Each structure stands twice: as C-alpha cells, then as structure tokens.
Amino acid sequence: MRPHPAVRRGLSAFAAVMLVGSAAACGDDQSPTHGPAEPSADASVPPDGSAARADLAALAAAAEDHRFAALYDYTAPGRDKRALVATVARDGSWRVDVAKGALGGTADVAIVSNSQGVFQCSLSSTANPVTPTCVRVADQGERVPAEYDPKIERVFRQWLDVFTDRQSALSVTATTPLKGSRGTCFSIDSISASLSAAVDVGIYCYAADGLLTAARVESGTVRLAADPAPAPATVPMPGPVVDGDAMGMASPPPPPPEPSASAASAPAA
C-alpha cells in the first residue's frame, strides 16, 4: 500500500507507525477503502435546538469513551494542508501530532496528556531532524498556555466535558455536514457573557461511535483522512522530559548578520 499523501507533507515517526497500523488493520478487508464516506442524503438532522443539544451530549459521551488512532488532514487559515494524527489510548492518555505546528510552521509538534500532566513535545522530521524533547506545560486536564499552544488539538478532547453537560452555556444546532465528514454535524456557539468562550466555537462532526470525523474552528479545519487504527495501550512520549521553555508558535527571529570580512579586518580606532 502506498503511503498516504499526508506522509509526504511531514509526519512524525509515530504518526507514520499509526498510519501503517491503520493500513494493516484494514488489510484483510476485501473491499477497497477510500477514507471517510461522503454524508448520505438522509444524514441525521435533529429538528430543533433542544434535540440537537441532546444528540451532541450523547455523541460527546461516546467520544469520551472512544479509543483510536487516526490520521486527519489539517488546514489552518492561510496555510497549506498538512497532516495531523490524533490518538486516544486505552489508558485514557492522548496525543495530537501536528505537522508544521510550531515556530511559524517550521517545526512539527505534539501535545501529549497523561497522568503526569500535559506536555508540548518537539518532533523530528526530514526537514527538521531534531532530537525530540518534551516540556511539561500544564496539569492534567488544563489548557496549554497560549504561547505554546497549536490550539487545534483542543477539538479532540478539551471540550467533551462541556458538550456532555446539558447546563453548559452553549447554543447547539444541527447543520449541513462538512465536506468529507460522516455522522452528524453541529454548529456550536457560546452564549456565555464572559470574555472567554466556553469552547472553540465552530462546527463539529461525530460518527455514531463518537469519533470526530471533521471540525471547523477559528484555528483551522480537520477532516478524517483514513479509517482509524486500533488504539495503543498508552501513548508514547516522543522524547525525554526536559526543563526550559516549550516551543513558541511564532517564527523564531532571524540570526544576527555575520560581520563582513572588511569590517572584521578593519583596525580599531
């Protein structure tokens, strides 16, 4: 089986392994696999907001229990499409690998959550062959600080508790399925008067088993690119945990210019 085109857009070694696992998992199936099916004409559309809110809560509850490893296409505003791999392990740890997700699109990054906390990790790629390391950036269940946050990882786990809480300050309506999604899509907005929105507002699409098949929020759009692989027992850390600052999201400043040969050889005044 040829590598998915996303491999050529920059995947970590872990993401490539997950993709191979997905191919192996479907290898015994005699029917061809072409990724997510297009939504059918009779896709579920709850008739009103209260019904949509109940349906979202039920699917979010299924998502909390769903364990998987899946390849997605990720498109951020003003950026080319790239690869993203989301993994939720059987022990509840999770990891999201984002190609070109840090340092202004020059470095691959992973966000990992386990019983020890939340970590931002550098990833090695062909274009940026670094030694992967991880920095603890938050307690388990807390948000990644904004200066280190690719943001798109939040659509997979961050908001499920909010979606399952029928009392949360959300406006929920069924909406036209996003292209390439399957299942039911919901338009979600915050009705909180606070300055901080309860969730990343946008459109979220879930299959019946709770798998996120697509989402469109301010930080970008993700779409399931291949059938998911079985979940691992736990997600591996890409590298050792080190002290220091995590990678920023902005491009690093350019190095200072080298002094010219004439300036270097000029005698001091």
Side-chain angles (χ1 to χ4, degrees), residues 94 112-119 136-145 158:
W94 58 263
V112 181
S113 176
N114 58 32
S115 60
Q116 304 304 308
V118 181
F119 302 83
R136 190 179 188 276
V137 292
D139 293 334
Q140 186 181 27
E142 297 298 318
R143 288 195 195 188
V144 177
Q158 187 88 44

Side-chain angles (χ1 to χ4, degrees), residues 130-236:
V130 300
T131 299
T133 57
C134 298
V135 176
R136 190 179 188 276
V137 292
D139 293 334
Q140 186 181 27
E142 297 298 318
R143 288 195 195 188
V144 177
E147 61 266 36
Y148 309 132
D149 190 6
K151 296 182 180 179
I152 195 62
E153 85 284 349
R154 301 194 303 222
V155 304
F156 293 95
R157 304 300 293 173
Q158 187 88 44
W159 311 129
L160 294 180
D161 286 345
V162 184
F163 292 168
T164 56
D165 180 6
R166 295 287 302 276
Q167 304 305 311
S168 57
L170 296 179
S171 169
V172 181
T173 56
T175 190
T176 303
L178 293 176
K179 183 179 179 181
S181 70
R182 59 189 181 201
T184 306
C185 295
F186 303 92
S187 177
I188 300 173
D189 202 351
S190 173
I191 55 176
S192 172
S194 68
L195 295 177
S196 178
V199 299
D200 286 323
V201 301
I203 296 175
Y204 294 74
C205 303
Y206 291 96
D209 60 3
L211 177 69
L212 184 79
T213 63
R216 185 172 68 205
V217 294
E218 184 179 7
S219 56
T221 299
V222 293
R223 291 186 177 88
L224 188 65
D227 288 338
T234 190
V235 295

Side-chain angles (χ1 to χ4, degrees), residues 110-112 118-122 133-138 148 237 239-247:
I111 301 297
V112 181
V118 181
F119 302 83
Q120 192 225 62
C121 304
S122 59
T133 57
C134 298
V135 176
R136 190 179 188 276
V137 292
Y148 309 132
M237 296 290 285
V241 178
V242 299
D243 294 328
D245 293 331
M247 293 186 293

Side-chain angles (χ1 to χ4, degrees), residues 241-266:
V241 178
V242 299
D243 294 328
D245 293 331
M247 293 186 293
M249 294 296 102
S251 299
E258 294 288 338
S260 65
S262 57
S265 61

